[in-house]
Amino acid sequence: MKIILLGPPGAGKGTQAKLISEKYSIPHISTGDIFRKNISEKTQLGIKAKEYMDKGLLVPDELTIDLVNDRFTNDDCKNGFLLDGFPRTVKQAEALENFLKAKGEGIDTALLIEVPGSYILDRMTGRRVCPSCGASYHIKFNPPKVDGLCDLCGSAVVQRKDDSEETVKERIDVYEKQTQPLVDFYKQKNQLFVVDGTQLIDEVFKIISNHIEIEGNK
Ligand code: AP5
Ligand code: MG
Ligand code: ZN
């Protein structure tokens, strides 16, 4: 399966991605997580990406597209992938389409997790993330089993630098201007599936799983 996850900041893309990737054994490719890893390792890419991410802006398309194309060459992508946070601009979506078309392939589905703006700030400011494995938690809605420690790998969870109120507002604005057009892009191709992301995490996952199984049997 080749799946794209779309949705505003805080919609629950990362949360659902972990569940989907585990259940269907496809790699979870989060461009945000890859950039954050590069930032913590102080690579050239990380140094460049940080300038944009700290402001809530998108990292330039060229850097992002090369990064994802390179990631696709990894062996674990043989049976598909789950993209979280990519594509985020029409240019990225076209690049992905061309990359797959060259191999006679295409994506199976684009899942849009819809959440109104009024939910986003609460979700972002209460979020805690695992710096080692990328898992997302929430102090109220989805706390780790042991306070402050990741359920999956035991590392201490932290707050993301771009989860301050001011940066979140900028990220929502950037989403509306640059990423929202992708909703129509995939709708026109009959590849869009919309799920209401205001429901409980398990409910959202159930709806997504049903859809993936229907698509998988086509
Ligand atoms: P990225 O890391 O992708 O951030 P984002 O899109 O802003 O999305 P988030 O990770 O903030 O939200 P999410 O939807 O994953 O929510 P989560 O599951 O954590 O990108 C960061 C930056 O990197 C960008 O701003 C940009 O600079 C750069 N970048 C990345 N990709 C790029 C690209 N392709 N091109 C250019 N630049 C790029 O959930 C949020 C919180 O809510 C958590 O606390 C969670 O526990 C909780 N929660 C989740 N689901 C529920 C639920 N159903 N009910 C209650 N709480 C819930
Ligand atoms: Mg995320
Ligand atoms: Zn972890």
Side-chain angles (χ1 to χ4, degrees), residues 43-209:
T43 66
Q44 281 296 93
L45 175 67
I47 292 164
K48 272 192 209 149
K50 188 174 184 326
E51 272 176 54
Y52 299 91
M53 289 173 74
D54 283 353
K55 296 187 191 123
L57 302 174
L58 295 186
V59 177
D61 282 335
E62 306 74 60
L63 285 180
T64 312
I65 292 167
D66 283 351
L67 173 87
V68 176
N69 285 353
D70 186 53
R71 177 65 183 80
F72 284 151
T73 61
N74 205 310
D75 238 19
D76 63 351
C77 292
K78 270 199 314 256
N79 299 320
F81 48 73
L82 173 65
L83 290 173
D84 161 11
F86 182 93
R88 240 181 168 94
T89 62
V90 172
K91 201 164 166 209
Q92 292 179 15
E94 286 169 350
L96 173 66
E97 197 171 41
N98 292 334
F99 178 89
L100 293 174
K101 223 184 233 165
K103 301 194 291 174
E105 298 172 5
I107 65 150
D108 293 286
T109 185
L111 304 171
L112 168 65
I113 308 179
E114 239 178 6
V115 169
S118 55
Y119 282 73
I120 295 177
L121 209 56
D122 246 9
R123 286 196 181 182
M124 305 273 76
T125 47
R127 170 162 62 182
R128 298 293 180 271
V129 295
C130 172
S132 307
C133 77
S136 257
Y137 301 91
H138 192 283
I139 50 173
K140 261 201 306 224
F141 310 135
N142 183 29
K145 291 189 185 94
V146 179
D147 193 30
L149 298 182
C150 176
D151 291 352
L152 303 179
C153 73
S155 304
V157 298
V158 297
Q159 217 168 347
R160 248 169 65 175
K161 192 150 190 268
D162 58 349
D163 278 350
S164 67
E165 188 168 336
E166 198 188 324
T167 315
V168 169
K169 284 185 178 146
E170 182 65 38
R171 283 161 58 202
I172 296 172
D173 204 43
V174 165
Y175 175 80
E176 284 169 356
K177 292 202 179 96
Q178 296 184 260
T179 308
Q180 200 119 289
L182 295 185
V183 174
D184 273 337
F185 182 93
Y186 290 111
K187 199 188 267 173
Q188 276 164 15
K189 295 177 191 296
N190 272 328
Q191 288 173 322
L192 188 76
F193 179 78
V194 185
V195 54
D196 171 7
T198 64
Q199 307 170 84
L200 293 175
I201 293 171
D202 288 350
E203 287 300 317
V204 178
F205 183 54
K206 238 185 252 166
I207 296 168
I208 290 179
S209 298

Side-chain angles (χ1 to χ4, degrees), residues 37-49:
K37 186 160 183 284
N38 276 273
I39 291 175
S40 74
E41 290 168 358
K42 300 195 167 61
T43 66
Q44 281 296 93
L45 175 67
I47 292 164
K48 272 192 209 149

